[in-house]
Amino acid sequence: MILLGPLALLMLGPVGVLAFGNLDLHTPWYMMSRESTKQAPDAASERGAVVQVYGARIVRWRGAFGIHPWIAVKRAGAERYTTYHIVGWRARRGGDALVTSEVDDPSVQWFGANPQLLADHRGARAEAMIDQIESAVAAYPWRSSYRLWPGPNSNTFVAWVARQVPDLRLDLPPTAIGKDYLGLTTIIDHAPSGTGWQLSLLGLAGVTVARDEGLELNLLGLGFGIDVDDRALRVPGFGRLP
């Protein structure tokens, strides 16, 4: 009862998103929109470096719980972006889960879901990060394994990169389920934002205390807490309120 009571309260968030959100529960995934949301600057016009991180709701009912994130980089003078993200079915088939793509616009919908811009850096600051990001992507340790819950998954990947590149200042929302997975042998590490620390037991239970994330508790992958810096609550399903 000590565990089931808090877990039932946390589940109210995803249940609320299912009941009152705008998730598309009927359209086949291959028919869902991949239109641009025009949040990324046009590479032909923006000649400086750009580093961005996006996150969008997962397809169907799973979107009530979590997001799928990706990293986009463009060096100064480049005419296209390079995006990095993890796709689970590739690992389940024995392949490399990391997908690297050259794209004109990284801010497209994720199968009908509008992406949220989670980090945005421009100019010399962004240029200095790109080598670090590429090195962190290459060093990601779970490219051949994937678990939707509690990790390692696509959110684990982006959180891993963020820890290696603290200048990214990436504050992942509580809907980024898998961000707290630190591996089988690591219990304490930097928070993804690089502004504090977190303790996590296999991504199933833990606590994060950081300037950007605030105080967030994790129970079975469901994160909840208070973000003093942004004056917001961190809530399962909904992410941040208000």
Side-chain angles (χ1 to χ4, degrees), residues 171-192:
D171 179 3
L172 287 166
T175 47
I177 295 175
K179 66 182 174 62
D180 301 314
Y181 181 84
L182 303 178
L184 298 177
T185 59
T186 302
I187 298 177
I188 299 175
D189 205 341
H190 294 284

Side-chain angles (χ1 to χ4, degrees), residues 12 23 41 85 97 119 127 132 140 152 158 167 198 217 226 233:
L12 291 177
L23 297 177
H85 66 133
E127 188 73 38
Q132 300 174 52
Y140 179 64
V158 171
D167 286 343
Q198 69 178 133
L217 304 178
I226 184 168
L233 295 176

Side-chain angles (χ1 to χ4, degrees), residues 25 60 147 179:
L25 303 178
R60 296 291 185 87
R147 281 197 305 268
K179 66 182 174 62

Side-chain angles (χ1 to χ4, degrees), residues 41 46-52 71-76 81 119-134 165 167-168:
E46 174 59 75
R47 305 311 295 162
V50 179
V51 171
Q52 295 183 319
I71 301 169
V73 304
K74 185 188 80 69
R75 292 187 181 274
Y81 288 86
D120 187 5
H121 302 279
R122 312 284 179 94
R125 180 181 178 86
E127 188 73 38
M129 278 187 237
I130 293 177
D131 284 339
Q132 300 174 52
I133 290 172
E134 291 177 346
V165 189
D167 286 343
L168 194 56

Side-chain angles (χ1 to χ4, degrees), residues 92-109:
R92 287 192 289 268
R93 293 183 180 180
D96 186 348
L98 176 65
V99 176
T100 303
S101 304
E102 298 292 325
V103 301
D104 295 320
D105 182 358
S107 63
V108 296
Q109 292 178 320

